[in-house]
Amino acid sequence: MFVRDPCPVPPNRYDAGTFTYAGTHVQLPVNEAATGAHLHGVLYDTAWEVKDFGSTQVESYVVLSVKVDEAHPLFAKWPFCFTFELRYGLNEFGLSQHVLVRNDGGGSMPCLVGFHTAVNAPFAEHGDATDYRCRFTIGERWELDNRGLPTGVRLPLTLYEQALRDVGAYPFVESMDNHYTALAQDGYNRMELWDMKRDVTLVYDVGLGFGQWMVWNHYGQPGFFCAEPQVNVVNAPNLELPADEVGLFPVRPGEVWEAHSRLYVRDGGVKQD
C-alpha cells in the first residue's frame, strides 16, 4: 500500500549543498550534477540501530535510532551532534510514527526534517487507478525554478490544485513535482486517497508539525505517487524570507523536537463539509 523511505535530513534540494546556520557552516555533497544541488539529505543511506522492538497484546513496535557525534562519519556532512529516533507501532488504529530529534551539541541545529512516502494507487489488488481520488491539505504552491529550487514566490492554486485541496481529484491528471504550504483543515494535516469502487480511504495524517508538502506523481504515470511532508521549505536557509514563513527554526542544545503521524484506512470516501 505504501513505502516509507528513510527520512531526509535536510529534505529535498539545497543550492550548491551549502548554507550557514547560527554560525555553523554546512557543506553537503553536490550529488545532483544537473542542478548543482545536494538532494535527499544524509540519513537515507545511514545505518540505523534497532534500539527496541517487541509486541504487546495490542501493538507491535520497533524503535530505530541514529546518534551522531564528532566521531561519526555523518558529522563531516552535517556538523551537529544529535540523536534521531523513529518509533513505528502497528495496532488497531493503523501504523503510527513518532519522530524525535534531540540536540546533543553545544550550538543550535536547524530542524530540517521530511519524509518521502510513496503511496500505491491503486492500493487494492486488481484495482484501477482511475477509481482513485486524492485530497491534500495544501495552501499555496511555491514557485520553483528550473533547478527545482524555490524562488520565494507563492502562487495561487490552479483549478486542479483547488480540487486536490477541496473535494479530491485523480492524482495523475498531470505531471507533478510541486511544493506547497500546508493548510490544516479542521485540525488535520493529511493526505486522503479514496478508492471509489471499494469505498475505502487511506488516510495519511502527518500532524501539524509539518508545514510544507512536496507532491511527486512519477511524471503523471499511474501506479504510485509521493506525498512528502516537510517541516521546512526546500532550500530554506538560503531563502531571503522570514524564518517562520519557511519553517526554519532551531533545536537548541538539550532540546527535543518531536512529531506524530499515522496511516490508517477508514470506510467511506473523502470527507467533505
Side-chain angles (χ1 to χ4, degrees):
M1 184 175 291
F2 69 94
V3 176
R4 293 210 60 125
D5 290 348
C7 49
V9 176
N12 214 278
R13 292 182 175 87
Y14 293 79
D15 193 9
T18 188
F19 61 85
T20 298
Y21 186 81
T24 298
H25 179 69
V26 176
Q27 180 60 67
L28 298 159
V30 175
N31 57 5
E32 191 178 48
T35 64
H38 172 80
L39 180 65
H40 287 332
V42 298
L43 290 181
Y44 73 95
D45 60 353
T46 298
W48 292 66
E49 174 193 355
V50 178
K51 184 177 179 180
D52 190 18
F53 68 94
S55 61
T56 68
Q57 291 183 333
V58 297
E59 181 185 51
S60 295
Y61 68 92
V62 62
V63 181
L64 308 172
S65 181
V66 173
K67 186 175 180 64
V68 174
D69 57 21
E70 294 179 355
H72 195 284
L74 282 186
F75 190 82
K77 301 177 184 178
W78 188 251
F80 303 97
C81 297
F82 66 96
T83 299
F84 200 109
E85 191 169 284
L86 287 170
R87 184 189 188 278
Y88 290 98
L90 185 62
N91 58 37
E92 65 174 310
F93 302 111
L95 178 68
S96 67
Q97 176 194 261
H98 174 243
V99 53
L100 178 150
V101 181
R102 185 183 67 203
N103 185 345
D104 300 324
S108 290
M109 179 180 72
C111 188
L112 306 179
V113 179
F115 290 89
H116 285 301
T117 305
V119 181
N120 285 343
F123 57 69
E125 189 175 6
H126 307 304
D128 190 320
T130 59
D131 292 329
Y132 284 71
R133 297 295 180 267
C134 182
R135 188 166 78 164
F136 280 89
T137 50
I138 55 177
E140 297 174 295
R141 179 158 53 92
W142 291 98
E143 181 182 64
L144 303 179
D145 65 17
N146 60 4
R147 296 188 298 151
L149 297 171
T151 66
V153 175
R154 286 185 284 186
L155 304 172
L157 300 181
T158 66
L159 290 176
Y160 173 63
E161 291 168 327
Q162 291 175 39
L164 281 173
R165 178 196 63 194
D166 296 336
V167 298
Y170 179 57
F172 304 108
V173 166
E174 59 189 43
S175 179
M176 297 182 71
D177 190 3
N178 297 349
H179 194 13
Y180 300 97
T181 62
L183 182 63
Q185 298 178 10
D186 300 323
Y188 292 98
N189 184 25
R190 60 191 177 186
M191 181 280 303
E192 298 168 278
L193 184 61
W194 177 26
D195 183 322
M196 297 185 296
K197 184 176 181 179
R198 294 162 180 81
D199 200 26
V200 294
T201 298
L202 172 67
V203 181
Y204 180 30
D205 185 349
V206 303
L208 303 181
F210 295 93
Q212 315 292 328
W213 284 99
M214 286 293 303
V215 181
W216 184 79
N217 68 353
H218 198 211
Y219 314 105
Q221 301 177 35
F224 76 96
F225 64 89
C226 294
E228 306 176 13
Q230 296 183 184
V231 168
N232 60 288
V233 175
V234 171
N235 200 36
N238 294 319
L239 295 176
E240 295 182 2
L241 290 173
D244 60 347
E245 288 188 20
V246 296
L248 185 60
F249 60 88
V251 182
R252 296 180 177 87
E255 286 188 340
V256 170
W257 177 85
E258 57 188 330
H260 298 264
S261 301
R262 186 175 299 276
L263 277 151
Y264 64 94
V265 174
R266 67 155 189 261
D267 293 332
V270 170
K271 298 298 184 184
Q272 301 175 22
D273 294 335

